[in-house]
Amino acid sequence: MRKNILVAYFSASGVTAKAAREIAEAVGGDLYEIVPEQPYTDADLDWTDKSSRSTVEMNDPACRPAIAGAPVDIAKYDEIFVGFPVWWYVEPRIIDTFLEAHDFTGKTVIPFATSGGSGISGAEKSMKAHCPSAKWKKGRLVNGGAAEWAKSAAGE
């Protein structure tokens, strides 16, 4: 039986978007970009600035940045890859917005991330707490080799 696969992702600089496209192509999945209602500027993304938007958001566990556009209907998907850059050792708060906006009961979720130095384990733990109804598969940093990993993760 062919699975219906969605590759949902947030990309601040384009690196995660590239990995998401590779994954979607490798597994025959649909792409959905999680776009912030208020786009991030370079200044917003300056993690060295304690008053930058990304720093303020990540220091507030309750922060849920709004997502622009129509929501994706996840009902028709069996597996959902969720991609993001690692921020402060976890997923960006907009990923929490996405997870909490949908019912993942009966869905398999596979996280993937890009990072210059952090691992994905903190994000996996955090995401599971925000979305306990999903079945979770082990995620991976995909700074390279995204397509090959995605095929095995999806059971292709």
Side-chain angles (χ1 to χ4, degrees):
M1 178 179 107
R2 183 176 175 342
K3 297 177 197 162
N4 289 320
I5 299 174
L6 175 68
V7 180
Y9 70 95
F10 163 69
S11 186
S13 66
V15 175
T16 305
K18 181 178 182 284
R21 287 190 298 271
E22 288 176 20
I23 290 169
E25 186 174 321
V27 300
D30 295 336
L31 266 178
Y32 173 74
E33 183 176 6
I34 300 167
V35 177
E37 194 170 86
Q38 177 186 349
Y40 289 92
T41 66
D42 287 343
D44 291 337
L45 298 172
D46 183 358
W47 60 272
T48 64
D49 178 356
K50 291 187 187 321
S51 64
S52 75
R53 177 176 159 205
S54 60
T55 302
V56 169
E57 287 178 1
M58 295 309 292
N59 282 324
D60 178 3
C63 180
R64 296 295 179 269
I67 297 172
V72 64
D73 178 10
I74 69 164
K76 65 182 181 179
Y77 297 102
D78 306 305
E79 288 189 339
I80 302 162
F81 284 83
V82 178
F84 51 91
V86 176
W87 287 3
W88 287 260
Y89 305 101
V90 294
E91 73 284 0
R93 301 291 182 215
I94 197 164
I95 294 296
D96 299 337
T97 304
F98 174 76
L99 293 174
E100 293 172 1
H102 300 282
D103 180 5
F104 285 88
T105 303
K107 307 295 180 189
T108 299
V109 179
I110 308 167
F112 68 95
T114 55
S115 174
S118 301
I120 193 173
S121 62
E124 287 179 299
K125 182 179 178 185
S126 173
M127 292 170 72
K128 287 176 186 176
H130 292 290
C131 189
S133 65
K135 293 181 277 183
W136 289 88
K137 284 190 177 178
K138 179 101 177 94
R140 183 168 167 187
L141 285 182
V142 291
N143 294 333
E148 294 77 24
W149 166 77
K151 286 179 188 176
S152 69
E156 294 288 305

